[in-house]
């Protein structure tokens, strides 16, 4: 059921995904073709905000903070899996993998490589601060607009 908290959570995580996507793009080589990287991450942010954070809206200080951290953790997990899967599919079209199991291992390897990019201090700070602020804003929206 649509609520204001779900909408606010979706907007917050979409904004955070947009911001972090451009921070990641700045850390990658200039020759990297990003394709639909940013729109895909924004879409994941909307879905994770709507489903994860919007459903578990808490207005207390620890509850809102945990809700924001959980939403961002789910966003990062699915972002790594989807981007790794997308890159695996692109490489599979060039006949890089010998079978389906090899391709699944490729998703894990590519996701681990992408996770190393997220370990930059600026990106971690953005994710943590964005998670806490998103949780508080979602909790406020849940309490204010019932």
């Amino acid at each position: 059921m649509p609520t204001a908290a779900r909408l606010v959570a979706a907007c917050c995580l979409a904004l955070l995904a947009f911001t972090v996507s451009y921070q990641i793009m700045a850390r990658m080589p200039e020759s990297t073709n990003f394709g639909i990287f940013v729109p895909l991450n924004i879409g994941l942010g909307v879905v994770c905000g709507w489903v994860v954070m919007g459903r578990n809206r808490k207005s207390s200080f620890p509850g809102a903070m945990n809700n924001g951290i959980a939403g961002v953790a789910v966003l990062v997990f699915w972002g790594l899996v989807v981007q790794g899967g997308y890159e695996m599919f692109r490489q599979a079209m060039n006949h890089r993998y010998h079978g389906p199991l090899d391709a699944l291992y490729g998703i894990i390897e590519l996701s681990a490589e992408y996770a190393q990019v997220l370990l930059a201090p600026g990106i971690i700070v953005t994710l943590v601060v964005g998670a806490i602020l998103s949780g508080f804003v979602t909790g406020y929206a849940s309490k204010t607009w019932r």
Side-chain angles (χ1 to χ4, degrees):
M1 175 161 198
T3 62
R6 284 183 185 251
L7 179 64
V8 168
C11 290
C12 286
L13 284 192
L15 181 64
L16 182 63
F18 175 79
T19 305
V20 171
S21 293
Y22 277 102
Q23 286 181 330
I24 290 170
M25 288 171 65
R27 294 186 45 83
M28 299 296 279
E30 288 184 25
S31 63
T32 304
N33 180 12
F34 288 101
I36 60 168
F37 180 74
V38 176
L40 185 62
N41 287 340
I42 291 172
L44 285 171
V46 168
V47 170
C48 289
W50 187 273
V51 173
V52 176
M53 285 183 61
R55 179 182 45 172
N56 299 325
R57 52 199 181 270
K58 307 268 191 310
S59 58
S60 66
F61 180 76
M65 192 167 67
N66 288 338
N67 189 25
I69 291 172
V72 170
V74 170
L75 172 63
V76 168
F77 171 77
W78 282 111
L80 290 172
V81 169
V82 168
Q83 296 296 343
Y86 178 77
E87 181 63 22
M88 179 278 303
F89 185 75
R90 193 183 68 72
Q91 290 179 3
M93 292 296 108
N94 293 329
H95 303 289
R96 183 178 185 277
Y97 302 109
H98 300 293
L101 194 58
D102 196 24
L104 288 176
Y105 288 142
I107 292 174
I108 295 169
E109 290 173 4
L110 290 166
S111 297
E113 289 175 15
Y114 294 153
Q116 291 176 351
V117 176
L118 293 176
L119 294 178
I123 295 174
I124 291 175
V125 167
T126 303
L127 287 172
V128 170
V129 170
I132 293 170
L133 288 176
S134 296
F136 289 139
V137 171
T138 302
Y140 178 77
S142 173
K143 189 169 36 172
T144 305
W145 298 300
R146 292 197 177 253

